[in-house]
Amino acid sequence: MPTQITALLERAKGVAGQFSLAQRTLAIIGVAGLVLGLVALSSWMSKPTMSPLFSGVSAADASAIVDQLEGEGVAYELADGGGTILVPADKLYATRISVAAAGLPADSEEGGYSLLDDMGMTASEFQQQVTYQRAMEGELSKTIGAIAGVKTATVKLAVPEESVFVDEQADPTASVFVETKQGVDLEAGQVQAIVHLVSSGIPGMNPTDVAVIDADGTVLSAIGGSTAGGLADQQTGEYETRVAASVQTMLDRVVGVGKAVVAVTADLNYDNTDRTSETFDATADVPPLSSSTTREEYTGAGGAPVGGVLGPDNIAVPGGGAGDSSYLKETEVLNPAVNKVTEHTTTAPGSVQRQSVSVVVDAGAAAAINMVDLEALVTAAAGVDVARGDTVEVARMAFDTQSAEAAQEALAAAAAEEKAAQQAELYRTAAIAGGVVLLLLVALIMAKRRSRRARREALDLGELQIVEAPQLPFDPTDTALALPAPEPVVDESAVRRAEIGALADESPGEVADLLRGWLVEGSKR
């Protein structure tokens, strides 16, 4: 290991050895957080931005597209249960072109009028008819699949063969299978849109000849135009909710919010009636269509017959055939006109047969309200028709407020818990921020100490010399040879040693680091 790295490690160990337990813990947490942040940042920066390549593809197409991407070495991600494929944004268009060149997605090219492209010249009339019907089914299925909320759709057509040997031609029918997306239910308007879409695309098909079924097996629209299954209940519920909401809005402004309860029960008629009636009126003053009159008249004298005129019992009457005679005949033929009225009535399903409205008002809130006037208001707001058999009941009763008070207390407790959780989260955030600030302060202190060490100058101790006294003959009785009292000599090396000792006592760590640095520099030389 290089000497510089060894010296750096030793210096780091020395600095870490001077930390207390709390300082070491904070330093370890700070270093760990810094490392994790750097790893997360590098991972996020190195991850490419993904964009959808295709959405709403089938499982077979998704598998083929994934194989194509793996073969080309393009990174991808799957979303929406595998129906959406994501690729890097910078490779989006190039990848889409390459995948389309491979004929993917394949399902978008199957069915529809593309079937007619592969039909041969030797195809029989039956094959042509079946292929054309399949093409119509495919086009209708793709069109219905484009409706919001529809995942897949399948259309089956039953078109009778045209023949000149039958008097009445049967009407074509169709059945539509619809699979919706998760959590999506088709509304009544969407079902009617599917019915009219299919019936308008097939010549001679009536909207009443289209059946719509969902993936749960519920009949949304039956043959004959009737609304069957859950859709009828849904329409009834929507009507009841709409009427109840209208009445409730009015009562909230009259008696106050939460002081009235409205319940509506409706009976809707889902029978599709088609009636034709003819009315004849002969008493009307209408001129006849045609009339004719015939008149015959004869006059003159008539002669008596030879045998006379026979009377009763075949006895001849004397002079019975003598005198004048006349003849008159009138005939009138009249062809009167009859007033005829033909009426064709078609009753659409969904009309209201009968409805009942029940209203309960809090006794305290409605103490000063006239109940007759309130009932009249409810009758008008709900569109009640007494002649149709509709009923309205308005009552004044004392409400049970215990449930409302319990709910209010529960809401208050939930709000208090949420506030406490927010405060705890705030405290936690403040603690984290304080820890980060503390780590920054520790880092600043360490940097300041390191810069102070870098600015400290080295001390020159010099060389330590041993001073020996000169050897002179000594006579204690000789006063001439007596030396004067020596003056105090200041030993500079001793002073320096004392200063070094004091410095070592005050800052032992810094002196140790300084000596260690000198030793390292000496070893380098």
Side-chain angles (χ1 to χ4, degrees):
M1 183 179 295
T3 308
Q4 295 85 348
I5 299 178
T6 305
L8 183 60
L9 292 177
E10 292 295 335
R11 185 173 298 178
K13 290 180 180 179
V15 173
Q18 299 177 5
F19 286 173
S20 62
L21 180 59
Q23 292 175 345
R24 292 178 183 177
T25 304
L26 291 176
I28 292 173
I29 294 175
V31 172
L34 182 61
V35 171
L36 291 177
L38 291 176
V39 171
L41 181 61
S42 62
S43 176
W44 176 75
M45 294 182 65
S46 60
K47 184 178 180 181
T49 304
M50 308 299 285
S51 298
L53 180 65
F54 293 104
S55 300
V57 297
S58 62
D61 282 342
S63 177
I65 293 173
V66 166
D67 293 340
Q68 180 73 16
L69 295 178
E70 290 179 351
E72 296 179 359
V74 179
Y76 66 89
E77 292 181 2
L78 298 178
D80 297 336
T84 302
I85 302 175
L86 306 175
V87 296
D90 55 348
K91 299 181 180 179
L92 175 63
Y93 299 107
T95 305
R96 184 174 295 173
I97 293 174
S98 62
V99 171
L104 298 174
D107 282 354
S108 61
E109 301 296 334
E110 294 181 359
Y113 291 121
S114 60
L115 295 174
L116 303 177
D117 299 336
D118 300 332
M119 185 180 297
M121 297 180 60
T122 58
S124 62
E125 183 179 356
F126 175 76
Q127 291 176 338
Q128 294 178 1
Q129 182 64 28
V130 171
T131 304
Y132 176 72
Q133 183 171 331
R134 288 179 57 197
M136 294 291 294
E137 293 173 351
E139 290 294 328
L140 291 173
S141 299
K142 289 191 294 184
T143 306
I144 296 173
I147 298 177
V150 178
K151 185 178 180 180
T152 57
T154 303
V155 179
K156 298 297 182 182
L157 301 177
V159 181
E161 184 180 358
E162 297 181 359
S163 176
V164 297
F165 300 102
V166 293
D167 294 337
E168 296 183 0
Q169 185 73 26
D171 295 333
T173 59
S175 60
V176 182
F177 173 80
V178 178
E179 181 182 1
T180 60
K181 297 180 181 178
Q182 186 175 3
V184 177
D185 294 330
L186 291 180
E187 299 178 356
Q190 291 177 313
V191 175
Q192 293 299 320
I194 293 174
V195 169
H196 289 284
L197 177 66
V198 175
S199 62
S200 301
I202 306 301
M205 181 177 292
N206 299 319
T208 56
D209 295 333
V210 180
V212 181
I213 301 94
D214 64 1
D216 296 330
T218 304
V219 180
L220 304 180
S221 178
I223 295 295
S226 61
T227 306
L231 191 58
D233 298 335
Q234 179 182 355
Q235 292 181 353
T236 303
E238 291 177 355
Y239 175 79
E240 294 173 351
T241 302
R242 184 172 64 253
V243 175
S246 176
V247 178
Q248 187 70 53
T249 302
M250 180 194 66
L251 293 176
D252 289 344
R253 296 186 177 182
V254 174
V255 298
V257 179
K259 302 299 182 180
V261 178
V262 181
V264 178
T265 302
D267 185 12
L268 304 184
N269 183 14
Y270 291 100
D271 296 335
N272 190 6
T273 305
D274 191 358
R275 182 180 62 184
T276 302
S277 61
E278 294 183 354
T279 304
F280 299 90
D281 187 7
T283 61
D285 187 10
V286 180
L289 296 178
S290 61
S291 62
S292 60
T293 304
T294 304
R295 180 183 179 87
E296 296 180 1
E297 183 179 2
Y298 300 96
T299 59
V306 177
V309 179
L310 297 178
D313 299 330
N314 294 328
I315 299 175
V317 178
D324 297 335
S325 64
S326 63
Y327 172 79
L328 176 63
K329 179 181 179 181
E330 291 183 0
T331 304
E332 182 179 2
V333 178
L334 182 63
N335 186 13
V338 179
N339 189 15
K340 176 183 177 182
V341 179
T342 303
E343 182 180 1
H344 183 79
T345 305
T346 301
T347 304
S351 60
V352 180
Q353 288 184 333
R354 184 178 179 274
Q355 68 175 353
S356 301
V357 181
S358 176
V359 177
V360 180
V361 185
D362 187 13
I369 297 178
N370 189 350
M371 301 303 294
V372 177
D373 295 339
L374 186 62
E375 183 175 352
L377 292 176
V378 173
T379 301
V384 174
D385 187 1
V386 179
R388 189 174 55 190
D390 298 350
T391 59
V392 178
E393 292 292 337
V394 179
R396 183 165 47 197
M397 297 181 181
F399 279 17
D400 183 11
T401 60
Q402 295 181 356
S403 300
E405 293 175 356
Q408 188 68 24
E409 293 177 358
L411 291 176
E417 292 180 358
E418 184 179 0
K419 185 177 180 180
Q422 292 179 355
Q423 290 180 354
E425 183 67 20
L426 181 61
Y427 293 155
R428 189 180 299 108
T429 305
I432 294 174
V436 173
V437 172
L438 184 59
L439 290 176
L440 292 176
L441 291 177
V442 171
L444 291 175
I445 292 172
M446 292 175 60
K448 187 175 181 181
R449 293 182 62 182
R450 189 176 295 109
S451 62
R452 184 182 301 171
R453 293 171 187 170
R455 292 194 305 268
R456 184 173 298 149
E457 296 180 357
L459 298 178
D460 188 8
L461 298 179
E463 296 180 357
L464 300 179
Q465 298 179 357
I466 300 175
V467 179
E468 296 181 356
Q471 300 294 329
L472 297 174
F474 179 73
D475 186 3
T477 61
D478 189 359
T479 59
L481 296 177
L483 297 175
E487 296 179 1
V489 179
V490 179
D491 192 354
E492 295 181 0
S493 61
V495 174
R496 292 181 180 180
R497 284 196 296 271
E499 292 177 355
I500 292 173
L503 181 61
D505 293 336
E506 292 177 0
S507 302
E510 297 180 0
V511 174
D513 293 339
L514 182 61
L515 294 177
R516 190 178 294 108
W518 289 346
L519 292 176
V520 172
E521 293 177 359
S523 62
K524 292 180 181 179
R525 296 175 183 174

